[in-house]
Structure formats: C-alpha cells, structure tokens
C-alpha cells in the first residue's frame, strides 16, 4: 500500500468492459486500444492480486487510458501473483512477443534489475509504475514517504482527539521486498518516533499478506494488549488482518488502525468505526500518465514529467487521508465507489450515522 497531503486529484472513473484475449503466459491478456499510435505493443506487468487495487483499478484504468491514447496499440497484460521469478518470466515473454515498452510494477525492487537489463538489451524502455526502479526510463507514483507521514500523523491526531497522549503502538509495515514499503515505513517513523507514543512491537509483512499480519498481531496481544492504543498498518489488507486479530483477541474498544489504498472493505470498516483511516491514491491520473508515457516511449519520443527521482524523469502524485468525515468528498465524489456500493444492508445504519446517502 503506499505523497504530500491535501491536494485532491480529480477523478471520474469510467471503466470500460474491454475484450481481453489470452496470450502466452496463461492468464496474461492482449487487447486492442483506441486513439492514435501506430501498432505498438505495450506490456503492463503488475505485481500481485492480494491488494485489491491492482485488478480492480490499475488494470482496467490503464487499459482504458491506453485505448484512449493509442488506436492501434496492443496490450500485453500479466500479474505475477507476488512471485518475482514469475514476473521475470512474464517480462521475458512480453519481450519475445515484441513489446515496445514495459510498464513494470515490480514484485521485488532488487529483482527488477534483471528485467530492466533484459529490456535494455533489446532497446525496450521501461516505465517504473508505482514502485521505483533504478535506471528506468520513467517513473509514475505517489510521494511514498509522505504516505507514511500522513498515515502516522492521522493516527496521532486521532489519538490526541480522544484525549490520549501516550501508550503503546503496534506497527505493521509492508513487504520487505517492496521498495515503496520502506518509504512508507520511513515516513511513518519520522512522525511516530517523536510522538510521545511507544512502538511496542513492529513487523514487516511478507508479501503484504493479510493472513500473516493477522497471525503476527495475534501473537503480540498477550504482551501488548493492555497498553495498546493504536495500530499503524501500512495498507488496507494488513489493516484488515490486524482488526480481525484484535476482535478475535477480545480487544474492546478497538484502537484506531490506519490503512492505505481505499479498498471498499476498508471504507466500510471506516464507516463502521473499525478502521480509523485509509490513504486515497488517485489511480486514474497515475494510470493515464503511465499510458501516455508508454505510447511516447514506444514511438521513440520523450515523456512529459513533472519531477525527477534519482535521475529518472518522474510524475509524482499526492495522496489524501480518508476518514469517516470525508468519504463523501473523496472516493464517492470521484466515482471510485457509489454510496450503494458502500452502504450495503449490514452497513446501512452506520452509513446513515455517517451522513452517507
């Protein structure tokens, strides 16, 4: 999961149902795209599906953006299911199929160097999508340390608003193989370490696995349950695991828990009062910037960038903290979810109390 606060990137999501035909890698897809662009092949390589955003948002939004930017382009799509070796095979398959550009969200930041080398050997540019890759041709993401700062600051503000100025925190970070996770962690520590609260236990979650986050949290409760006042969880999946552990361990009331990615289940937990916040990343402009950059690079042109990271032209977007107070003004207003998506029967009363209608 994982950014300078407060600036909302306007969204209006229109996800088309596109016909995707199978290509060589089993579940990988090929689809045509509409706009202008010269018959190039664009490979989109996403890292996993445990985090809901990749299949629910990034894939369809990138596909739609490519359709708009390029009339004759073909999309080669793959999801690595959190397997770095599989992702390398998928990248090699895409190159074999004649991909003119790779849009890569790496499973493992270090392992992505092999994919980058293979692409460069064939003069194929690489766009680092969401997670940074040293030496890539273009990088599109969010201000990741700012994500961690925003999560942590919202947690501290929530605790202080409840009259708490000290106590134990549990810290559940992302996958150690994800370069973004390190940035989220660094940003969070920059706030939490000087907050007056104590980080009593900390965990780097392999594969961003909600189950592993839940198991770890369950194992910590006997030691920290009594003094626990808050949980920093790096994304909504790990937040869900932590909350399940807290409920299973009889922790009442639940301490505030952070998150990231604005998954529907997380928005519903926020409405119900089980989760304090999530981070809203405007995936649509991220996908659009990546698609436009891919078309430009595939045709030998230059990308439009707004900044630079380690010598790589970059487009860096801002995150927003979502709490119960601004669900209407963020994910609902921007068309990520309808109120009817959020306010199913079991959340109807909580939605009414939260003013969602």
């Amino acid at each position: 999961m994982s950014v300078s606060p407060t600036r909302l990137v306007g969204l209006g999501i229109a996800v088309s149902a596109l016909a995707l035909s199978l290509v060589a890698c089993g579940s990988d897809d090929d689809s045509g795209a509409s706009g202008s662009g010269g018959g190039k092949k664009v490979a989109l390589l996403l890292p996993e599906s445990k985090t809901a955003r990749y299949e629910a948002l990034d894939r369809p939004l990138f596909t739609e953006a490519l359709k708009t930017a390029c009339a004759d382009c073909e999309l080669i799509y793959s999801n690595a299911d959190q397997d770095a070796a599989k992702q390398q095979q998928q990248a090699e398959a895409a190159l074999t199929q004649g991909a003119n550009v790779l849009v890569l969200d790496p499973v493992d930041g270090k392992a992505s160097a092999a994919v980058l080398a293979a692409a460069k050997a064939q003069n194929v540019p690489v766009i680092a999508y969401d997670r940074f890759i040293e030496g890539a041709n273009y990088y599109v993401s969010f201000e990741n340390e700012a994500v961690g700062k925003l999560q942590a600051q919202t947690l501290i503000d929530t605790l202080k608003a409840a009259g708490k100025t000290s106590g134990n925190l549990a810290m559940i970070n992302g996958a150690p193989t994800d370069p973004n996770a390190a940035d989220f962690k660094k940003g969070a520590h920059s706030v939490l370490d000087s907050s007056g609260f104590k980080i009593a236990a900390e965990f780097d979650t392999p594969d961003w696995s909600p189950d592993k986050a839940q198991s770890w949290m369950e194992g910590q409760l006997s030691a920290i349950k009594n003094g626990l006042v808050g949980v920093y969880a790096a994304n909504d999946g790990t937040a869900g695991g932590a909350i399940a552990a807290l409920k299973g361990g009889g922790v009442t009331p639940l301490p505030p828990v952070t998150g990231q990615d604005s998954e529907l289940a997380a928005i519903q937990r926020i409405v119900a009062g089980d989760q304090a916040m999530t981070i809203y990343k405007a995936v649509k402009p991220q996908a659009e910037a990546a698609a436009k950059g891919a078309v430009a690079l595939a045709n030998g042109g230059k990308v439009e960038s707004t900044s630079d990271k380690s010598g790589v032209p970059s487009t860096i977007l801002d995150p927003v903290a979502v709490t119960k107070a601004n669900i209407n003004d963020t994910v609902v207003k921007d068309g990520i979810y309808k109120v009817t998506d959020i306010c199913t029967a079991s959340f109807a009363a909580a939605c009414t109390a939260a003013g969602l209608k």
Side-chain angles (χ1 to χ4, degrees):
M1 297 209 85
S2 181
V3 283
S4 220
T6 70
R7 193 179 71 216
L8 252 166
V9 183
L11 284 169
I13 290 183
V15 178
S16 298
L18 298 175
L20 298 172
S21 50
L22 293 174
V23 296
C25 286
S27 63
D28 305 344
D29 294 348
D30 234 346
S31 74
S34 74
S36 78
K40 301 298 184 181
K41 294 183 178 181
V42 177
L44 175 64
L45 307 169
L46 294 182
E48 45 103 349
S49 55
K50 286 184 179 180
T51 302
R53 62 166 282 195
Y54 292 116
E55 292 296 331
L57 295 175
D58 295 85
R59 176 184 179 182
L61 288 172
F62 182 89
T63 303
E64 179 68 13
L66 184 63
K67 177 184 177 183
T68 300
C70 179
D72 303 321
C73 285
E74 291 182 47
L75 174 65
I76 302 170
Y77 175 74
S78 302
N79 189 304
D81 298 317
Q82 201 62 52
D83 185 331
K86 180 178 180 180
Q87 187 168 65
Q88 184 168 348
Q89 292 168 358
Q90 291 170 337
E92 290 169 353
L95 292 170
T96 299
Q97 292 171 52
N100 300 104
V101 60
L102 303 184
V103 181
L104 175 62
D105 192 339
V107 172
D108 184 319
K110 293 181 180 178
S112 66
V115 174
L116 187 68
K120 292 205 168 185
Q122 298 186 37
N123 294 315
V124 173
V126 174
I127 293 176
Y129 182 81
D130 205 51
R131 300 172 181 175
F132 185 69
I133 302 170
E134 195 78 41
N137 299 86
Y138 182 41
Y139 174 50
V140 183
S141 189
F142 291 80
E143 188 62 56
N144 294 316
E145 281 190 35
V147 168
K149 290 179 181 179
L150 186 55
Q151 290 171 311
Q153 191 60 59
T154 305
L155 176 60
I156 297 306
D157 290 347
T158 301
L159 289 170
K160 290 183 175 179
K164 293 182 173 65
T165 56
S166 64
N168 289 337
L169 303 177
M171 194 168 182
I172 304 176
N173 303 307
T177 54
D178 179 352
N180 284 6
D183 288 339
F184 303 147
K185 181 178 177 179
K186 182 179 179 182
H189 268 291
S190 73
V191 173
L192 298 178
D193 291 351
S194 58
S195 67
F197 294 86
K198 178 184 176 183
I199 299 172
E202 185 171 0
F203 180 60
D204 293 343
T205 312
D207 303 333
W208 288 98
S209 169
D211 292 342
K212 291 173 182 175
Q214 180 175 345
S215 295
W216 177 81
M217 189 76 250
E218 288 169 345
Q220 299 301 308
L221 285 180
S222 61
I224 66 172
K225 178 178 177 179
N226 290 336
L228 186 65
V229 296
V231 177
Y232 169 88
N235 78 342
D236 291 334
T238 56
I243 290 165
L246 293 168
K247 287 186 172 183
V251 177
T252 55
L254 287 174
V257 180
T258 67
Q260 177 180 187
D261 294 328
S262 293
E263 294 181 2
L264 178 57
I267 298 297
Q268 290 174 323
R269 288 194 296 266
I270 291 170
V271 169
D274 291 343
Q275 185 170 325
M277 63 83 70
T278 186
I279 291 292
Y280 173 37
K281 291 179 172 180
V283 177
K284 188 171 187 282
Q286 181 185 23
E288 289 174 345
K292 289 176 183 177
V295 172
L297 290 172
N299 286 285
K302 293 184 177 181
V303 295
E304 296 179 8
S305 60
T306 57
S307 59
D308 175 282
K309 179 175 172 65
S310 300
V312 178
S314 304
T315 294
I316 305 298
L317 304 168
D318 292 339
V320 175
V322 176
T323 65
K324 191 183 295 187
N326 68 345
I327 291 172
N328 263 326
D329 295 328
T330 52
V331 295
V332 172
K333 179 181 177 181
D334 289 345
I336 301 296
Y337 307 117
K338 297 177 182 177
V339 171
T340 51
D341 297 329
I342 300 167
C343 299
T344 55
S346 57
F347 295 95
C351 280
T352 299
L356 287 175
K357 53 187 178 179

